[in-house]
Amino acid sequence: MADLVLQPTQEGEIRRRVLFWLPVPLPVLGLVLLLVGGSLSAAGWTILLAASVGMGTLLLSTLVQPTPLPEGLGPQASARRSLHRFRQFTTLRICLALVAVVFGAAASILGGGAYPMLAALALAWPQLLMALPTFFTITRARRAMEAWGTTAYLWHALSRPAKVTWPIATPLARDWREWRAQREEAARERQGAEAVPDAADAPEDGERGPAPDDGPGSAPEPGGKDTDTPGAGTKHVVRGSTVHRATRQIMRQGGALGLAVRRGTRTGRSTRRPRSHKN
C-alpha cells in the first residue's frame, strides 16, 4: 500500500493529491458538531439544501469528462495535453466534492444540527473516490479525449517519473527549510562580522606615538603644538616637520647652485664652446 501511494510517477502524484483531500471533511464535521452543540436534528429545508447540492456535484462528477484532443497532434504533444487535461479533470472532481462539504457545513450551522453535514458527506466522499486515477477512470478519460480521432497517450504520460510531493505540506516544508538556511547564513555572517575588528577602532598614523627624532636640524613648526600631545596636533606637527625638512634641503641645493653660477660669472668663465681656428 505504501509503494502504491508513494509511487514516483505522474499517476502517483495525482493519487497523492486526492488522498490528501480525502480526510478533510472529518475536521469540518468535528467543527460543525462543536458549533451546533452536538445536536443532530436540523430544519428540513437545510437538509434538503445540503442534499441537493451534494447530488448536483455528484452528477457533474459522473457526467463531465475531459474535452477531446485537437486533430493533428504528435505523440509528445498528445501525451503532454492528455496529462494536463486529466489533471484538470481530477482537480474539478475534488473541488466539486469540497463545495458539497462547505454547503453542508453552512446548512448545519443555519439549521442547528449535524444532519445536513452528514448528508453532504455521504455524497462528497464518493466524488473524492471517483477522482482517484483507477483503471476505469483513466480508460474513460482516454476514450473521451480520443473522440475526434486523435490518439491520447494518457497511459504513457501517467507513467512518466515525478517527484513525491504532497499538496500544501511539501511547499510548507520547502519554505521552512529555506527559512532555516537563511537564518543560519545570517548567524554565520554576524559571527564573522564580530570576529573582524572594527576599522573605526584601529589607531591612526598620528596616534601611534611620538614622531621620531629628525636630527639636530629639525625643528617643530612655529606655533605648533607639542609633539607629545596625542590627537590632531601631533599629526599636524609631524607632517609640518617633514615639510620643513624637505624645504631646507631644496633651499640648500638651490643656494649652492646659485653660488656656483655667480663664481663662474666673476672669473670670466663661460659655458660657451670656443670657436675653432680652422679656416
Side-chain angles (χ1 to χ4, degrees):
M1 185 63 183
D3 295 339
L4 181 64
V5 173
L6 300 178
Q7 186 179 5
T9 59
Q10 297 292 340
E11 181 183 356
E13 195 270 336
I14 296 175
R15 184 180 294 107
R16 287 187 294 271
R17 183 184 304 178
V18 177
L19 292 177
F20 177 83
W21 295 106
L22 191 61
V24 169
L26 292 177
V28 179
L29 177 61
L31 181 61
V32 169
L33 289 175
L34 289 177
L35 293 177
V36 300
S39 176
L40 296 178
S41 61
W45 67 273
T46 57
I47 301 175
L48 182 61
L49 175 63
S52 300
V53 173
M55 185 61 66
T57 56
L58 180 60
L59 290 176
L60 287 175
S61 299
T62 305
L63 299 177
V64 175
Q65 294 295 326
T67 57
L69 295 174
E71 299 179 358
L73 292 178
Q76 295 295 333
S78 176
R80 184 172 59 254
R81 291 199 181 189
S82 299
L83 179 60
H84 178 68
R85 295 191 181 191
F86 189 77
R87 283 179 174 176
Q88 289 181 339
F89 173 66
T90 304
T91 304
L92 176 63
R93 284 186 169 180
I94 295 174
C95 292
L96 289 175
L98 295 179
V99 166
V101 172
V102 171
F103 270 88
S108 296
I109 295 174
L110 292 176
Y115 276 140
M117 184 64 188
L118 294 177
L121 289 181
L123 297 171
W125 262 321
Q127 301 177 45
L128 291 174
L129 294 177
M130 289 171 56
L132 287 172
T134 60
F135 176 82
F136 174 77
T137 305
I138 297 173
T139 303
R140 190 175 180 185
R142 182 182 60 82
R143 291 176 180 176
M145 295 179 190
E146 294 177 349
W148 291 354
T150 303
T151 303
Y153 296 89
L154 183 58
W155 287 104
H156 174 71
L158 291 174
S159 63
R160 291 179 178 177
K163 295 182 179 180
V164 179
T165 59
W166 294 90
I168 300 177
T170 300
L172 288 178
R174 183 175 61 251
D175 295 342
W176 169 256
R177 289 192 296 268
E178 292 179 356
W179 179 77
R180 289 190 59 182
Q182 293 177 0
R183 185 177 180 181
E184 293 177 357
E185 183 178 359
R188 288 194 299 268
E189 293 179 355
R190 187 164 53 251
Q191 292 177 359
E194 292 176 356
V196 177
D198 191 2
D201 298 335
E204 296 185 4
D205 296 339
E207 299 178 356
R208 294 181 179 178
D213 189 7
D214 292 335
S218 61
E221 182 184 359
K225 297 181 180 180
D226 190 5
T227 56
D228 294 335
T229 304
T234 304
K235 193 189 314 182
H236 181 70
V237 171
V238 171
R239 294 178 179 176
S241 303
T242 305
V243 171
H244 282 287
R245 183 169 64 254
T247 305
R248 286 194 300 270
Q249 293 177 359
I250 294 173
M251 291 178 63
R252 188 181 300 112
Q253 294 176 0
L257 180 61
L259 180 59
V261 171
R262 288 195 298 270
R263 288 178 179 177
T265 304
R266 291 175 182 177
T267 56
R269 297 179 181 177
S270 175
T271 57
R272 295 175 58 185
R273 183 177 182 181
R275 295 181 179 180
S276 176
H277 298 284
K278 297 181 181 181
N279 294 329

